[in-house]
Amino acid sequence: MRLLLVEDDAAIARGVRNALEGAGFVVDAAADGEQAWARGGDEDYDAVVLDLGLPRLDGLSVLKRWRAEGRTFPVIILSARSDWLEKVEGIEAGADDYLAKPFEPGELVARVRALIRRSAGHTEAILRFGELSLDTRRMQVSLRGANLSLSPLEYRLIHALAHGGGRPLAAGDLSEALHGVDAVDANAIEALVARIRRKTGPGVIQTRRGFGYLLAGAS
């Protein structure tokens, strides 16, 4: 899953980024509102963590611009203030959640995961696709009840497919989900899929010729 973190405080940004990457997310970062607006307008993110007190363009204005441009990715707002009026303004501008500073990184990770699940139409932390189960809290995949030994990259590919909304994901989409802006070529994705299939059997990840990959039971 690919996230955009918008935070101008370097220490907070570093801690949040470490927590999100430790939870398996690929994180792009922006330190001011104009940079955030440009990145969110050009890239497809699974979620955005957005601070309100930003230089050059405040977070609320960034969010309003994104929504006016039709950007629908879920957004969780961070703010140093817990004023109820500010919360209302954020929600009315199109935010999906709100977290006041200071906060525990673990709570932010949990909220981001919940936002992404809901945006993909899932309500539970354990996602099931036929005989495959994905526990998004423990970052564990099991097949017919037995846990699979997956590398972090293999887990993230299955996680991306699980949140694909039932549509096939092309190699380019998976590359962005796994590596962010430093995309790799289609052959690398094909090799990663082949590696996972050796652990799951050939039927778990299906190939739709000309469209991409999806999990069995996701269509």
Side-chain angles (χ1 to χ4, degrees):
M1 295 286 100
R2 190 178 175 202
L3 305 182
L4 175 62
L5 168 62
V6 187
E7 171 60 66
D8 66 316
D9 185 304
I12 293 176
R14 184 166 53 251
V16 170
R17 183 168 193 161
N18 288 342
L20 292 169
E21 290 180 341
F25 294 105
V26 176
V27 181
D28 293 344
D32 66 66
E34 289 190 358
Q35 184 184 31
W37 173 44
R39 287 204 168 191
D42 292 338
E43 303 289 340
D44 290 322
Y45 290 103
D46 295 289
V48 175
V49 179
L50 176 66
D51 184 37
L52 288 186
L54 297 171
R56 303 184 69 183
L57 187 66
D58 67 273
L60 200 60
S61 296
V62 172
L63 178 56
K64 289 177 178 178
R65 289 188 183 188
W66 282 338
R67 295 314 191 215
E69 294 166 350
R71 308 301 283 166
T72 60
F73 39 62
V75 174
I76 180 169
I77 282 178
L78 304 180
S79 176
R81 302 182 298 274
S82 58
D83 182 84
W84 69 269
L85 183 58
E86 186 178 67
K87 292 181 181 180
V88 170
E89 289 177 344
I91 297 301
E92 288 185 342
D96 300 274
D97 200 357
Y98 187 106
L99 190 58
K101 299 176 183 178
F103 55 85
E104 290 294 327
E107 181 182 1
L108 176 61
V109 169
R111 291 192 183 210
V112 168
R113 283 175 172 162
L115 282 181
I116 293 175
R117 287 199 306 270
R118 290 199 297 270
S119 69
H122 303 300
T123 57
E124 298 181 357
I126 298 179
L127 313 181
R128 294 178 174 84
F129 302 88
E131 297 179 318
L132 189 81
S133 296
L134 176 71
D135 188 329
T136 60
R137 286 177 299 200
R138 296 173 55 234
M139 292 187 287
Q140 177 66 58
V141 177
S142 59
L143 182 65
R144 293 185 289 275
N147 290 340
L148 297 176
S149 178
L150 300 176
S151 71
L153 200 59
E154 291 167 349
Y155 170 82
R156 292 210 304 270
L157 187 140
I158 291 178
H159 190 275
L161 293 175
H163 288 83
R167 63 182 178 87
L169 296 183
D173 297 326
L174 290 171
S175 180
E176 285 197 10
L178 297 180
H179 302 283
V181 295
D182 299 321
V184 298
D185 62 33
N187 290 334
I189 297 298
E190 186 176 346
L192 183 59
V193 169
R195 203 163 73 210
I196 296 172
R197 282 172 171 162
R198 287 196 289 270
K199 299 179 180 182
T200 65
V204 172
I205 298 179
Q206 300 179 343
T207 301
R208 296 284 176 85
R209 296 296 177 188
F211 294 95
Y213 303 96
L214 78 165
L215 294 176
S219 56

